[in-house]
Amino acid sequence: MKTKKIILIAVAVAVVAGGGIWFFTGSPAKHKVTYASATVSKGDISNSVTATGTIEPVTEVEVGTQVSGIIDQIYVDYNSVVTKGQLIAEMDRITLQSELASQQATYDGAKAEYEYQKKNYERSKGLHDKSLISDTDYEQALYNYQKAMSAFDSSKASLAKAERNLSYATITSPIDGVVISRDVEAGQTVASGFETPTLFTIAADLTQMQVVADVDEADIGGIEEGQRASFTVDAYPNDVFSGVVTQIRLGDASSSSSTSSSTSTVVTYEVVISAPNPDLKLKPRLTANVTIYILDKKDVLSVPSRALRFTPEEPLIGKNDIVKDCEGEHKVWTREGTTFTAHPVEIGISNGVSTEIISGVAEGTKVVTEATIGAMPGENAEAEPNQGSGERSPFMPGPPGNNKKKSNK
């Protein structure tokens, strides 16, 4: 009896111990393969390049003067609307009028001398033809005539220059537009030496602006005329302005503003983008943050790009799963029950996230995008039990620490 009692107690202890171990450690783990899917649908596919640029008028003219002198009168100010030929400033005329008078006197003297020497030459020529004067006298008359004619022509050119310089004292607008810059004041002296001093800057039409953006050399290869662009300015952070690429300038825009050292040089190219400005919000010289859409298709059939990379292989499928493969460079997979079916597709553009489907599957088709061993959060996920080894596919990334999950049953 004692021996029997001891055996019963030992069995009970073993049962209790085994139950405790089962309670704390759980039953043997069963691994799941979770399949994520997506529906073939229509949407927009785009890829973009970002850059920084400056708002500028489409037509901008710097008005200067070709003569030195004192600014006598100014008739326009900042933001003044001007028309072509309108008087906008005048320079002091006294010096220029004195120069004109001096050149006029020189011209008159040269003209009189020329007319006298011309008549003298004509008389000498007639006498020489009759052999009444020597060759020396004739040649002297011819020399004086030619010299007087040269002096007369020179004085005529000097007089025309003086008249032209006097006309420069009257400064008019070369175009219809708006004065966006005034760099002089009345009474200021301007000197026209090696370069023409700028007095005013006039923009032709502020309702039609442009953005001159500096695009990095690594991105310039994807930029083409006609591409859609959008941009924002700090003055209106909630507004997004639209435009189109109108010009790609071949010159290196960084030649004057590059950050360079002995080892590196930043190279950028200017890309011009139209910027309609009907409400005059955009001001000249504003900084614009530009996005240029180098890939841009609207309302096209597409799938997530990862669907084209999925392949039903072990350990991502069970032993009883059926795989119906097909020929084709690009394919997507559908799953019905335990059957995986491949569909060859023709693809178009891709931005790395979504890929355009030209043909092969119809809109609304549900395709497998990825498989993960273990529970996988997310919508459109279906789980299939699989007694696999618990390894993840090297081609299917997933959240860390989620390779093995135990379910107590």
Side-chain angles (χ1 to χ4, degrees):
M1 291 297 293
K2 275 187 175 183
T3 303
K4 188 176 181 179
K5 189 174 182 180
I6 291 172
I7 293 173
L8 290 175
I9 292 173
V11 170
V13 171
V15 170
V16 171
I21 293 173
W22 184 92
F23 179 79
F24 287 106
T25 61
S27 61
K30 289 185 179 180
H31 302 293
K32 292 181 179 180
V33 177
T34 305
Y35 300 99
S37 62
T39 303
V40 179
S41 59
K42 289 186 176 181
D44 301 339
I45 300 179
S46 63
N47 198 5
S48 61
V49 168
T50 59
T52 302
T54 304
I55 306 293
E56 295 182 3
V58 175
T59 302
E60 185 176 348
V61 179
E62 293 182 348
V63 181
T65 176
Q66 293 188 3
V67 294
S68 301
I70 298 174
I71 302 296
D72 189 25
Q73 295 288 337
I74 293 180
Y75 301 105
V76 296
D77 202 349
Y78 288 94
N79 304 333
S80 296
V81 178
V82 296
T83 58
K84 184 177 181 179
Q86 178 181 336
L87 180 64
I88 58 178
E90 286 185 300
M91 298 184 65
D92 181 63
R93 296 170 176 267
I94 295 178
T95 303
L96 297 174
Q97 288 173 339
S98 299
E99 179 66 22
L100 177 60
S102 174
Q103 293 299 331
Q104 183 67 53
T106 302
Y107 170 80
D108 294 339
K111 181 180 180 182
E113 178 67 15
Y114 165 72
E115 291 175 350
Y116 168 75
Q117 294 296 341
K118 180 180 180 181
K119 292 178 181 179
N120 187 51
Y121 163 72
E122 290 174 349
R123 286 193 299 267
S124 299
K125 186 176 184 304
L127 295 173
H128 182 264
D129 291 342
K130 297 177 181 179
S131 301
L132 298 176
I133 61 174
S134 64
D135 292 343
T136 301
D137 291 338
Y138 170 73
E139 291 172 357
Q140 182 65 41
L142 177 60
Y143 167 75
N144 292 337
Y145 167 65
Q146 291 176 340
K147 184 177 180 181
M149 182 171 59
S150 178
F152 175 61
D153 291 340
S154 178
S155 65
K156 185 189 299 185
S158 297
L159 178 62
K161 181 179 179 181
E163 290 174 344
R164 188 70 172 175
N165 286 342
L166 182 61
S167 69
Y168 289 148
T170 302
I171 301 169
T172 59
S173 174
I175 59 172
D176 296 338
V178 179
V179 178
I180 62 175
S181 175
R182 192 193 76 184
D183 300 323
V184 292
E185 299 289 344
Q188 182 176 337
T189 300
V190 293
S192 177
F194 294 102
E195 61 182 38
T196 301
T198 300
L199 307 182
F200 305 93
T201 302
I202 300 177
D205 184 8
L206 294 184
T207 62
Q208 295 296 327
M209 305 289 278
Q210 64 185 10
V211 181
V212 180
D214 293 334
V215 177
D216 189 85
E217 62 177 325
D219 299 323
I220 195 65
I223 307 298
E224 297 178 357
E225 292 185 8
Q227 289 175 337
R228 181 173 67 91
S230 64
F231 62 93
T232 60
V233 294
D234 292 341
Y236 305 99
N238 297 324
D239 293 344
V240 178
F241 302 90
S242 299
V244 175
V245 175
T246 59
Q247 187 182 54
I248 303 170
R249 296 176 178 172
L250 301 181
D252 176 9
S254 60
S255 58
S256 61
S257 59
S258 62
T259 302
S260 59
S261 64
S262 58
T263 58
S264 64
T265 302
V266 177
V267 179
T268 59
Y269 294 86
E270 289 183 342
V271 175
V272 181
I273 300 162
S274 64
N277 188 32
D279 51 6
L280 300 180
K281 281 187 174 182
L282 300 175
K283 307 294 190 295
R285 313 295 178 257
L286 285 177
T287 299
N289 300 308
V290 182
T291 300
I292 302 173
Y293 297 93
I294 56 177
L295 290 178
D296 190 22
K297 281 194 174 182
K298 301 289 187 182
D299 198 32
V300 295
L301 207 62
S302 63
V303 295
S305 297
R306 62 181 183 272
L308 296 163
R309 299 190 293 266
F310 171 78
T311 302
E313 296 176 342
E314 292 186 356
L316 300 180
I317 60 174
K319 295 181 179 180
N320 297 324
D321 288 340
I322 301 172
V323 177
K324 295 181 179 180
D325 205 347
C326 67
E327 298 293 331
E329 181 181 0
H330 305 286
K331 62 185 75 174
V332 293
W333 295 82
T334 58
R335 178 173 177 265
E336 294 183 5
T338 59
T339 302
F340 292 87
T341 304
H343 303 269
V345 293
E346 182 182 356
I347 65 173
I349 66 171
S350 175
N351 61 2
V353 177
S354 299
T355 300
E356 178 188 8
I357 298 297
I358 298 176
S359 63
V361 290
E363 182 178 1
T365 303
K366 183 178 288 188
V367 298
V368 181
T369 59
E370 114 182 87
T372 305
I373 298 177
M376 177 179 174
E379 297 182 358
N380 297 328
E382 300 177 356
E384 178 70 22
N386 184 8
Q387 303 295 331
S389 63
E391 297 179 356
R392 295 182 59 82
S393 167
F395 305 103
M396 298 298 167
N402 197 32
N403 291 341
K404 294 183 179 181
K405 290 192 176 181
K406 295 182 178 180
S407 57
N408 296 328
K409 293 184 181 179

